[in-house]
């Protein structure tokens, strides 16, 4: 019988179908094998990544401040924000730690399998509309997004200055892009508290850490932000002139994941089995998905389904001629984006425990 990873790892009563990776703050993961029921991930099946407890926010008293290097700082309430011209667009969120459980050395952090990713339709006001209303000053270089959640954050070996709020910055160039939304709806419904109610940022094409939930303040700055979640967490080594230097995690790397079969599923020998999966490509487009049933020695091109939508995932399928010989098989999927960038076979340790996009093996049993 097929083993159900959710059953093994335990369901949450308040969040059926989601596995509890951490409690208080709650970090929850769906099984990726159940992700492809529909192209939009329902909010109650969408992974949850929170560093602090969900802040209690009253819609009536909620205010968002826009300040810093702007000519006309202002505050806006929920009703006024909802009256502004809005946009609805699909975008995938992937936690930069998605797949962390597969790393050889896991230091700290939530141990995601492959469910730290979801695709939703977001409705909100483009961030650029608020920036323009405030009037960006010429010296501005970045936009800091601050959440209302706060806490004492002391992972091992880290000292923090007491209570901190969750905050991340975007370079002005990305902050100004039309796709970056201050979203108040997810799949047509009001945001759930754990997904950022009443308003969150959605930064399509970037790893999830940029999409700040429970927004309370937008600060335009004349220098790069070096906050905790920008430097200590969610930063990777990049080599510049041969010197490794820490840079904030940003764009999602191209990736394909297999949803069907699930890991350790038993597959009948000699049959034709429909492999199903999803692929995504950050700020680029998926150009190719390949499938391998021999640990990556040979590859066959999979069929991408439907029209690609920028920033969303795309489903793909492949008719697998299951071998007649029983035994364990290692299945792999590999995506290439329209810039020619393919998923690496090996983990790049410069990426520390973030941006995990190398090819991940799925072991099944042919019987
Ligand atoms: N205010 C706030 N925003 C946040 C976070 C957080 O802890 N606090 N976590 C970030 C991370 S790391 C991810 S992956 C996404 C997850 O969004 P979700 O919980 O709605 O799936 O939210 C981001 N925004
Ligand atoms: Mo994340």
């Amino acid at each position: 019988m097929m083993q159900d990873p959710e059953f093994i790892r335990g369901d949450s009563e308040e969040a059926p179908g989601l596995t509890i990776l951490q409690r208080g703050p709650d970090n929850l993961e769906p099984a990726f094998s159940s992700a492809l029921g529909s192209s939009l991930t329902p909010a109650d099946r969408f992974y949850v990544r929170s560093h602090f407890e969900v802040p209690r926010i009253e819609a009536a008293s909620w205010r968002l401040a826009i300040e810093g290097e702007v000519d006309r700082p202002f505050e806006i309430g929920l009703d006024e924000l909802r009256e502004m011209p809005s946009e609805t667009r699909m975008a995938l969120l992937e936690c930069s730690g998605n797949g962390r459980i597969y790393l050889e050395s896991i230091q700290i952090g939530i141990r995601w399998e492959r469910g730290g990713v979801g695709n939703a339709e977001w409705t909100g006001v483009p961030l650029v509309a608020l920036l323009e209303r405030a009037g960006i000053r010429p010296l501005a270089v970045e936009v800091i997004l601050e959440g209302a959640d706060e806490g004492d954050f002391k992972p091992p070996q880290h000292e923090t200055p007491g209570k901190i709020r969750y905050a991340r910055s975007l370079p002005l160039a990305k902050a100004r892009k039309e796709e970056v939304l201050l979203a108040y709806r997810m799949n047509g419904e009001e945001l759930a508290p754990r997904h950022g109610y009443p308003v969150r940022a959605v930064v399509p094409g970037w790893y999830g850490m940029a999409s700040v939930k429970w927004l309370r303040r937008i600060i335009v700055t004349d220098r790069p932000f070096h906050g905790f979640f920008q430097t200590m967490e969610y930063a990777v080594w990049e080599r510049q002139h041969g010197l490794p230097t820490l840079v904030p995690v940003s764009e999602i790397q191209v990736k394909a994941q297999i949803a069907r079969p699930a890991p350790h599923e038993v597959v009948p020998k000699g049959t034709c089995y429909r492999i199903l999966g999803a692929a995504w490509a950050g700020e680029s487009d998926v150009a190719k998905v390949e499938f391998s049933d021999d640990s990556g020695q040979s590859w066959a091109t999979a069929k991408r389904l439907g029209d690609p939508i920028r920033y969303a995932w795309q489903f793909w399928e492949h008719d697998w001629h299951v071998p007649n010989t029983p035994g364990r098989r290692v299945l792999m999927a590999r995506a290439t984006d329209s810039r020619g960038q393919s998923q690496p076979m090996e983990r790049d340790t410069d990426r520390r425990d973030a941006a995990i996009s190398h090819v991940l093996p799925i072991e099944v049993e042919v019987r």
Side-chain angles (χ1 to χ4, degrees):
M1 271 305 290
M2 175 179 149
Q3 287 181 300
D4 184 354
E6 282 172 11
F7 179 74
I8 295 162
R9 297 168 81 208
D11 259 14
S12 150
E13 259 175 43
E14 307 98 278
L18 296 173
T19 298
I20 303 166
L21 302 180
Q22 190 190 332
R23 264 276 185 238
D26 288 358
N27 282 285
L28 312 169
E29 175 176 34
F32 187 69
S33 51
S34 67
L36 304 196
S38 72
S39 166
L40 294 181
T41 313
D44 60 2
R45 304 276 307 165
F46 206 98
Y47 80 95
V48 176
R49 175 67 182 111
S50 298
H51 295 79
F52 307 118
E53 293 284 2
V54 173
R56 293 172 143 271
I57 299 172
E58 300 289 331
S61 56
W62 177 84
R63 312 285 293 167
L64 175 64
I66 292 92
E67 55 188 62
E69 288 294 312
V70 293
D71 291 327
R72 300 169 296 277
F74 66 96
E75 281 191 2
I76 190 167
L78 196 53
D79 288 342
E80 201 190 335
L81 188 77
R82 283 185 174 140
E83 276 161 20
M84 290 180 70
S86 71
E87 281 185 26
T88 297
R89 63 171 68 240
M90 225 190 251
L92 160 140
L93 291 188
E94 182 184 17
C95 182
S96 80
N98 187 34
R100 187 175 285 141
I101 203 165
Y102 299 95
L103 297 184
E104 267 159 37
S105 64
I106 306 168
Q107 308 97 20
I108 47 169
I110 304 289
R111 306 190 65 191
W112 300 100
E113 287 192 9
R114 297 177 306 141
V117 59
N119 192 55
E121 195 173 72
W122 309 94
T123 303
V125 176
L127 170 60
V128 65
L130 279 87
L131 295 176
E132 273 169 6
R133 179 163 153 194
I136 307 167
R137 289 202 179 136
L139 288 179
V141 295
E142 282 197 357
V143 176
I144 304 172
L145 306 171
E146 184 191 46
D149 50 333
E150 66 171 356
D152 277 312
F153 202 66
K154 285 205 178 67
Q157 298 164 3
H158 283 160
E159 279 301 319
T160 62
K163 284 219 186 308
I164 53 168
R165 282 212 163 88
Y166 187 87
R168 276 287 296 197
S169 75
L170 296 173
L172 198 53
K174 180 68 179 177
R176 275 183 152 140
K177 290 261 170 75
E178 54 168 17
E179 70 266 16
V180 179
L181 296 182
L182 305 185
Y184 46 79
R185 286 182 167 273
M186 178 181 188
N187 297 338
E189 281 164 34
E190 200 155 74
L191 282 180
R194 64 190 188 199
H195 290 300
Y197 178 85
V199 178
R200 76 174 301 166
V202 173
V203 182
W206 281 40
Y207 281 109
M209 78 278 129
S211 293
V212 177
K213 303 191 275 190
W214 312 295
L215 274 179
R216 74 187 288 271
R217 206 150 60 113
I218 293 169
I219 310 141
V220 181
T221 60
D222 61 358
R223 68 198 67 182
F225 178 55
H226 293 296
F228 186 81
F229 298 98
Q230 196 91 13
T231 53
M232 303 283 235
E233 299 265 297
Y234 305 111
V236 292
W237 296 110
E238 225 175 70
R239 311 253 165 189
Q240 289 174 5
H241 309 286
L243 300 174
T245 181
L246 277 179
V247 298
V249 174
S250 54
E251 198 190 333
I252 293 177
Q253 302 294 306
V254 61
K255 192 187 234 181
Q257 287 192 166
I258 297 171
R260 182 177 189 267
H264 310 298
E265 191 172 316
V266 172
V267 180
K269 63 178 179 171
T271 56
C272 181
Y273 185 102
R274 187 166 172 249
I275 306 278
L276 264 179
W280 52 93
E283 293 178 319
S284 182
D285 296 306
V286 177
K288 186 165 68 169
V289 177
E290 294 163 290
F291 170 79
S292 168
D293 72 348
D294 56 6
S295 306
Q297 284 166 287
S298 63
W299 295 89
T301 301
K303 186 179 167 207
R304 284 174 285 131
L305 305 171
D307 292 326
I309 298 171
R310 169 82 38 118
Y311 308 121
W313 64 21
Q314 186 175 16
F315 291 170
W316 55 270
E317 64 175 18
H318 183 72
D319 286 331
W320 179 36
H321 300 286
V322 184
N324 271 314
T325 30
R328 296 211 173 120
R329 288 305 277 207
V330 174
L331 311 183
M332 293 175 170
R334 178 173 70 186
T336 302
D337 70 19
S338 51
R339 295 175 294 205
Q341 201 78 249
S342 281
Q343 288 181 254
M345 291 301 289
E346 299 288 331
R347 173 70 185 160
D348 175 358
T349 53
D350 276 358
R351 293 198 195 162
R352 303 165 88 207
D353 63 348
I356 300 145
S357 74
H358 62 294
V359 171
L360 296 177
I362 296 288
E363 202 181 89
V364 295
E365 192 172 329
V366 175
R367 207 190 279 163

